Amino acid sequence: EDQVTQSPEALRLQEGESSSLNCSYTVSGLRGLFWYRQDPGKGPEFLFTLYSAGEEKEKERLKATLTKKESFLHITAPKPEDSATYLCAVPQGAQKLVFGQGTRLTINP
Amino acid sequence: DAGVIQSPRHEVTEMGQEVTLRCKLISGHNSLFWYRQTMMRGLELLIYFNNNVPIDDSGMPEDRFSAKMPNASFSTLKIQPSEPRDSAVYFCASIFFLAGEGDTQYFGPGTRLTVL
């Protein structure tokens, strides 16, 4: 069964303190890995899609990378507004997405 | 452009009552997904449609749950009768899907359902 595991469950950082979130997956024939950001009381907001090992994508202070077994979301010099839950997901079949449980990130000023 | 629209945003009801959640797809999208999110189970897919046709409803928890797409831009998720364990946030998401290709799902703001 396809599985997606995110770690840590929660992470508290000081403003400016860089770190990484992990998303490991067990799926045959990976056809992409998605990262979403979810703010309290809102729906998940799309960040990135990665399709092949070695691929990297960046958006502001975020950079997502992909290997054959896991993906990392690197956060460089985060600000309080980066506080959110970050979700990763992998396709299962043609269209279904299997989501991880998420990492709840808090950036303290 | 308008994103996915869901209504109501909040619903409080009593056990045994019928609940109907509504979703309007992004204009031009042809696939719709209904999800449920809880602290314990995270984000779970309930059912999805392509071009108004239900493709996979294996995530629908029980016969008390039903979903329809009466037209290409609108869907409803109905729970009858509702139970306290149905309390969760329900999201819908839409994409423009071409056969053989995956694409990014765009989520609505969700409906927070509380069943007393």
Side-chain angles (χ1 to χ4, degrees):
Chain A
E1 183 178 317
D2 298 339
Q3 285 194 329
V4 180
T5 304
Q6 293 189 245
S7 62
E9 289 185 12
L11 181 63
R12 283 185 176 272
L13 300 172
Q14 290 298 120
E15 184 173 0
E17 181 184 1
S18 301
S19 188
S20 297
L21 314 182
N22 178 264
C23 172
S24 63
Y25 56 88
T26 55
V27 60
S28 56
L30 183 69
R31 296 179 297 105
L33 186 141
F34 296 80
W35 281 99
Y36 284 83
R37 168 189 171 132
Q38 187 175 21
D39 292 297
K42 296 188 177 181
E45 177 187 347
F46 170 72
L47 290 174
F48 305 108
T49 309
L50 302 168
Y51 288 104
S52 58
E55 187 176 0
E56 299 183 352
K57 288 193 177 175
E58 291 188 59
K59 180 179 181 180
E60 296 182 359
R61 294 173 292 281
L62 300 176
K63 182 169 77 172
T65 61
L66 182 65
T67 71
K68 289 184 178 180
K69 293 183 178 181
E70 58 192 347
S71 177
F72 292 94
L73 185 64
H74 306 280
I75 301 174
T76 302
K79 299 181 178 182
E81 53 262 43
D82 295 321
S83 297
T85 295
Y86 291 86
L87 299 164
C88 69
V90 297
Q92 184 180 63
Q95 292 176 266
K96 293 172 66 171
L97 287 181
V98 176
F99 281 85
Q101 289 287 84
T103 293
R104 189 171 63 255
L105 177 66
T106 304
I107 308 299
N108 295 316
Chain B
D1 289 339
V4 174
I5 298 172
Q6 292 188 246
S7 64
R9 293 297 312 279
H10 303 274
E11 177 80 31
V12 180
T13 190
E14 293 189 347
M15 183 174 63
Q17 296 299 305
E18 178 179 296
V19 175
T20 299
L21 311 182
R22 296 173 175 81
C23 176
K24 184 176 187 302
L25 284 69
I26 292 173
S27 177
H29 284 190
N30 63 349
S31 292
L32 177 98
F33 303 76
W34 280 104
Y35 288 88
R36 179 172 66 177
Q37 187 175 43
T38 61
M39 287 294 293
M40 289 295 295
R41 299 177 67 88
L43 199 59
E44 302 175 282
L45 179 66
L46 300 176
I47 185 172
Y48 75 94
F49 297 81
N50 280 348
N51 297 313
N52 305 1
V53 177
I55 302 300
D56 186 341
D57 66 355
S58 60
M60 296 286 260
E62 303 173 29
D63 291 345
R64 299 183 295 107
F65 286 68
S66 62
K68 294 181 180 179
M69 276 198 77
N71 59 57
S73 61
F74 182 74
S75 178
T76 60
L77 178 67
K78 185 176 294 185
I79 308 173
Q80 167 62 20
S82 58
E83 296 183 2
R85 59 189 166 129
D86 301 330
S87 298
V89 182
Y90 291 81
F91 291 101
C92 65
S94 73
I95 67 172
F96 176 68
F97 175 70
L98 295 174
E101 297 184 19
D103 207 344
T104 302
Q105 294 183 18
Y106 294 91
F107 284 77
T111 295
R112 180 173 294 278
L113 173 64
T114 303
V115 183
L116 304 174

